[in-house]
């Protein structure tokens, strides 16, 4: 598995999507670990999940604080935060994950075909359970000026 090149592709995609499309300045952590990140006590998260199949199969999880999800959705839609519904926030978060996932695979190997599932919002416990059961993962911690996000790729072996 080309873990190093896949990790680089994921980081580039996170930057492309969040900095370019959502104008969100960020810093990516090279030494991020899921357990360490979660131990920081973040409980106010939206968690999006996207399964995929291809030369590498598995699941992406995207973790974003609810307040930041609301802000990104409002900015993306050109609306005031008070006018944005929970469903619109969740749809925006799912679309962010969809864009990051597709961009990651295209950047990693544009000759391979990946079948991306439909992203959905899940409870954190599902991500935690999948993480505990996985044998190989990549976790990238993402820092913004005011918050922390996370992207985890869990690979099936």
């Amino acid at each position: 598995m080309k873990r190093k090149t896949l990790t680089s592709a994921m980081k580039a995609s996170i930057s492309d999507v969040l900095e370019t499309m959502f104008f969100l300045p960020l810093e990516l952590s090279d030494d991020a670990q899921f357990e360490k990140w979660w131990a920081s006590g973040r409980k106010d998260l939206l968690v999006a999940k996207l399964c995929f199949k291809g030369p590498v199969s598995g699941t992406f999880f995207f973790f974003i604080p609810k307040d930041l999800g609301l802000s990104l959705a409002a900015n993306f839609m050109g609306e005031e935060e008070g006018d944005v519904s929970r469903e619109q926030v969740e749809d925006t978060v799912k679309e962010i994950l969809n864009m990051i996932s597709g961009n990651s695979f295209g950047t990693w190997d544009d000759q391979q075909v990946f079948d991306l599932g439909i992203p959905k919002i899940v409870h954190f416990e599902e991500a935690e359970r999948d993480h505990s059961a996985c044998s190989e993962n990549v976790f990238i911690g993402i820092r913004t000026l005011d918050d922390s996000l996370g992207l985890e790729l869990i690979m099936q072996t």
Side-chain angles (χ1 to χ4, degrees), residues 34-147:
F34 177 82
E35 295 83 2
K36 185 170 142 183
W37 182 82
W38 179 246
S40 68
R42 293 307 308 239
K43 304 260 191 254
D44 60 338
L45 298 173
L46 281 173
V47 181
K49 175 181 181 176
L50 186 144
C51 298
F52 61 90
K53 293 182 182 175
V56 175
S57 295
T59 306
F60 273 105
F61 285 100
F62 181 55
F63 307 91
I64 183 169
K66 291 177 184 176
D67 289 346
L68 181 55
L70 173 61
S71 177
L72 292 180
N75 289 339
F76 189 64
M77 295 174 17
E79 300 284 343
E80 295 294 324
E81 288 185 11
D83 296 332
V84 177
S85 71
R86 189 191 78 193
E87 183 178 289
Q88 290 170 315
V89 172
E90 290 178 356
D91 287 346
T92 301
V93 169
K94 291 185 291 187
E95 186 55 30
I96 291 170
L97 178 57
N98 194 47
M99 289 187 281
I100 290 172
S101 303
N103 192 328
S104 293
F105 291 133
T107 301
W108 180 53
D109 188 343
D110 64 359
Q111 300 303 306
Q112 297 292 333
V113 175
F114 287 87
D115 179 23
L116 300 181
I118 297 171
K120 62 182 180 176
I121 298 296
V122 298
H123 293 286
F124 179 81
E125 291 76 20
E126 184 172 339
E128 191 173 39
R129 184 180 62 245
D130 287 5
H131 172 82
S132 297
C134 81
S135 60
E136 189 170 8
N137 78 316
V138 174
F139 181 81
I140 298 173
I142 308 161
R143 288 208 184 283
T144 67
L145 295 175
D146 301 317
D147 240 320

